[in-house]
Amino acid sequence: MGHAWKQIDWSITNRLHEKGYIHNPVGKSKSVTLTEEGLAKSEALFKALFTKVDGK
């Protein structure tokens, strides 16, 4: 299970929760827990944006 710091705007965490990418962000915890779908999406985005394909 993945975690991320929640020092971002509440409207953003609410939208991520509504889309099913994170569990309910409301609480005293300083981090949010990613859902399985959210973790898969974040890994795919990381690979697409921050890794090089051989030969490019």
Side-chain angles (χ1 to χ4, degrees):
M1 189 94 25
H3 294 274
W5 295 110
K6 68 175 185 184
Q7 294 180 335
I8 56 176
D9 190 83
W10 278 104
S11 65
I12 295 169
T13 57
N14 289 337
R15 285 196 315 265
L16 291 171
H17 176 61
E18 289 170 2
K19 291 182 178 198
Y21 296 143
I22 63 172
H23 292 283
N24 193 346
V26 177
K28 292 183 180 183
S29 176
K30 292 186 179 185
S31 65
V32 293
T33 305
L34 282 70
T35 61
E36 291 297 321
E37 181 181 359
L39 185 57
K41 183 75 169 179
S42 68
E43 289 174 347
L45 286 170
F46 181 86
K47 287 177 185 175
L49 297 171
F50 299 108
T51 59
K52 290 184 180 182
V53 178
D54 289 341
K56 290 190 179 180

